[in-house]
Amino acid sequence: MTAIDQSRTVAVVGTGTMGQGIAQVALAAGHPVRLYDAVPGRAAEAAKTIGARLDRLVEKGRMDSAERDAARARLHPAADLAELADAALVVEAVLEQLKIKQELFTALEELVADDCLLATNTSSLSVTAIAGALKHPGRCVGLHFFNPAPLLPLVEVVSGFATDEAAATRAWATAAAWGKTPVRCADQPGFIVNRIARPFYAEAFAVYEERGADPATIDAVLRESGGFRMGPFELTDLIGQDVNEAVTRSVWESFFQNVKFTPSLPQRRLVEAGLLGRKSGRGWYDYAEGAVRPEPHTAEPAGAPEYVIAEGGLGAAAELLDLIRECGITVRKGGGEDTGTRLVLPSGGQLGLADGQMSGEFRDVVFFDLAPDYRAATRIALSASPDTPERTVLEATGLFQALGKKVSVIGDVPGMIVARTVAMLMDAAADAVAKGVATEDDIDTAMRLGVNYPLGPVEWSRRLPQGWAYELLQELDLRYPGGRYAPSVALFQHSLAGDPEGADE
């Protein structure tokens, strides 16, 4: 099945930001485009707005004037739904209300040809339910663009329970012909991105709620240690707290209030207070004129230890040993196994990679957080309890400062910040693959392009030691009983892959 020919008309219903963006994408691909909105006059206004955007592209040298003129000539506002009858594809971007979408597609089904694809841009509703009102639901498919549609490459192509394979394939090929990067997924709550991304926000909010660290510090650790483009507090301020919280609540309710998707109470309070982020002038941060952005907690300079004793190879943090040697600190070999994840400091205290345990469970242990690339990381978080000897915290701080890292000391939080976030993302991805939501490659593509993650969760699982995420989540599940951190069966199976002896234990 090939893409829809560019000579065929693409209709877009709904002329808000997303509708305009999708229409612009179809125009740029060479299609005649018809815009329709139920509110009189809005389609014509949207056409003018799109024309102005095309003018700016010419000004920036991204389109020549002849291409702009040709695109304008192909763009037609429609005053009546019947004017969409010759469309080969209709994409709706109307209100996220099931009844409205069903009524729209029911009306369109009586107008368009039998080979016309009916596509919904929904981000939160069931494609299966939307198509359920149709006589021929097989031609209804999800085409979930990301905002702004002309700029972001990802499109989730969602197959409802009744979607014909040929319809989904044609939608995928059309999105690819438009220069987008389409990924295929089944019709499950949140699709790929909005399902798997929930822990990125939830774990940060949980650390904050436990008073483990403030928003500025959590954001900085996830950016400067975890490699994420933005931290979850600043990102949800950009998205809008109401929008982000609504997506979380929708996924939670769609999964029958599964505890793994439980919304954040602090975020709910922000929404109730009208502190919605940038658009309201204040959210987690204050955006008023002259407001000072809070700085992340950064430890004062401390002296570096002369040596450390490596009890094993540090596991997922093995590259730290080379960095320590390169900065002139002696690394002595201890008696631990190669899989050990602790360093012994001169004072006798230990420095360990976050594993879901708490510093307070031990007499003299400081934990450090995960990083995808310790050499590139510019900040490292340390976790200590109030009873941890100060000398151990200072030695650990001085060690990472000697490696050129800023250090943030946070509270005694199991799994810390990056480690627990990554483990939960890996678990969500493994569960989604096992349940047929999408392939491993499509999940990683979606998370890198849709939300700019430094690595897809499947790529994380390939880089980290086998069983790392499963073991960390087991430890978290002991400390937070109730099921939120209980690792999925899929993650358990992954932890056993290639380890037949472990499977028999």
Side-chain angles (χ1 to χ4, degrees):
M1 180 68 68
T2 58
I4 294 170
D5 191 273
Q6 67 177 197
S7 65
R8 299 289 304 277
T9 295
V10 171
V12 178
V13 180
T15 58
T17 301
M18 282 304 303
Q20 291 178 26
I22 295 167
Q24 184 177 331
V25 171
L27 272 180
H31 291 275
V33 174
R34 286 199 177 88
L35 283 173
Y36 175 78
D37 197 289
V39 178
R42 279 196 181 170
E45 292 175 7
K48 291 179 182 178
T49 301
I50 294 171
R53 290 179 183 169
L54 298 178
D55 288 340
R56 288 195 291 274
L57 291 177
V58 172
E59 292 170 3
K60 294 177 180 179
R62 298 177 184 173
M63 175 182 281
D64 62 42
S65 56
E67 290 173 328
R68 175 200 58 199
D69 294 344
R72 277 181 167 171
R74 295 195 302 273
L75 180 60
H76 305 284
D80 189 275
L81 202 63
E83 296 178 48
L84 313 185
D86 67 337
L89 167 65
V90 181
V91 184
E92 70 78 13
V94 301
L95 292 175
E96 286 287 89
Q97 295 181 18
L98 179 60
K99 184 177 180 181
I100 290 176
K101 293 179 187 289
Q102 288 179 327
E103 289 175 349
L104 170 64
F105 279 136
T106 299
L108 285 167
E109 190 174 37
E110 300 300 320
L111 296 172
V112 298
D114 291 343
D115 65 346
C116 176
L117 280 180
L118 300 179
T120 172
N121 185 58
T122 185
S123 62
S124 61
L125 299 176
S126 164
V127 174
T128 302
I130 292 170
L134 297 176
K135 297 175 183 176
H136 304 289
R139 59 170 162 175
C140 184
V141 63
L143 274 180
H144 180 215
F145 290 78
F146 287 73
N147 192 33
L151 298 180
L152 294 186
L154 183 68
V155 177
E156 292 177 322
V157 180
V158 187
S159 291
F161 187 79
T163 301
D164 292 336
E165 177 62 24
T169 300
R170 193 176 191 198
W172 187 98
T174 299
W178 290 1
K180 297 300 181 182
T181 303
V183 293
R184 296 281 296 267
C185 62
D187 183 23
Q188 291 207 19
F191 309 142
I192 299 176
V193 173
N194 281 332
R195 172 183 180 146
I196 294 176
R198 294 351 292 164
F200 179 70
Y201 310 108
E203 295 313 306
F205 297 162
V207 172
Y208 166 76
E209 189 171 8
E210 294 171 29
R211 305 186 71 177
D214 60 277
T217 299
I218 296 170
D219 277 352
V221 170
L222 283 162
R223 287 195 316 268
E224 300 169 34
S225 181
F228 293 91
R229 184 75 59 87
M230 297 180 74
F233 294 91
E234 57 191 343
L235 180 55
T236 53
D237 268 357
L238 178 63
I239 295 169
Q241 298 302 330
D242 53 339
V243 174
N244 182 261
E245 202 261 354
V247 171
T248 299
R249 187 169 294 276
S250 173
V251 172
W252 174 62
E253 291 174 348
S254 296
F255 276 112
F256 309 105
Q257 300 186 355
N258 186 319
V259 68
K260 286 183 177 288
F261 301 100
T262 301
S264 162
L265 181 59
Q267 187 181 37
R268 173 98 291 254
R269 292 292 179 257
L270 277 183
V271 174
E272 290 172 342
L275 304 178
L276 307 182
R278 290 181 179 270
K279 63 185 178 183
S280 70
R282 185 179 169 192
W284 295 110
Y285 300 109
D286 190 346
Y287 299 94
E289 185 176 352
V292 178
R293 178 74 173 261
E295 293 292 327
H297 170 75
T298 302
E300 295 294 327
E306 294 183 2
Y307 68 90
V308 295
I309 301 172
E311 295 288 345
L314 283 191
E319 65 179 320
L320 274 178
L321 295 178
D322 288 336
L323 297 181
I324 293 170
R325 293 187 184 98
E326 289 169 14
C327 76
I329 296 174
T330 300
V331 177
R332 299 177 183 174
K333 177 68 173 175
E337 299 179 358
D338 288 343
T339 56
T341 56
R342 298 276 178 91
L343 293 174
V344 180
L345 300 165
S347 66
Q350 295 187 2
L351 180 62
L353 175 62
D355 61 5
Q357 300 183 91
M358 301 177 71
S359 179
E361 298 173 45
F362 303 92
R363 185 182 64 83
D364 199 359
V365 172
V366 171
F367 287 103
F368 65 93
D369 212 345
L370 181 70
D373 185 343
Y374 283 100
R375 189 176 294 275
T378 58
R379 182 181 298 271
I380 294 293
L382 301 179
S383 177
S385 79
D387 296 326
T388 304
E390 184 179 5
R391 69 180 187 282
T392 303
V393 177
L394 290 175
E395 282 183 326
T397 298
L399 174 64
F400 281 104
Q401 288 174 340
L403 304 184
K405 318 299 183 187
K406 296 177 182 177
V407 175
S408 293
V409 181
I410 69 171
D412 195 5
V413 179
M416 301 192 66
I417 299 172
V418 180
R420 69 195 281 177
T421 299
V422 168
M424 288 292 279
L425 291 172
M426 288 170 57
D427 185 59
D431 184 60
V433 171
K435 292 176 177 175
V437 176
T439 66
E440 291 183 344
D441 287 345
D442 276 353
I443 285 174
D444 273 5
T445 297
M447 301 314 290
R448 284 188 290 102
L449 297 183
V451 278
N452 288 314
Y453 284 4
L455 297 172
V458 178
E459 180 63 21
W460 270 110
S461 70
R462 292 170 181 156
R463 292 195 182 194
L464 292 166
Q466 185 175 318
W468 173 85
Y470 178 75
E471 291 166 7
L472 187 143
L473 291 180
Q474 277 192 310
E475 295 290 348
L476 290 180
D477 190 42
L478 288 174
R479 289 155 183 81
Y480 301 99
R484 173 176 172 142
Y485 296 103
S488 66
V489 172
L491 195 66
F492 173 66
Q493 291 173 325
H494 179 270
S495 74
L496 297 177
D499 183 16
E501 292 185 5
D504 293 333
E505 292 178 357

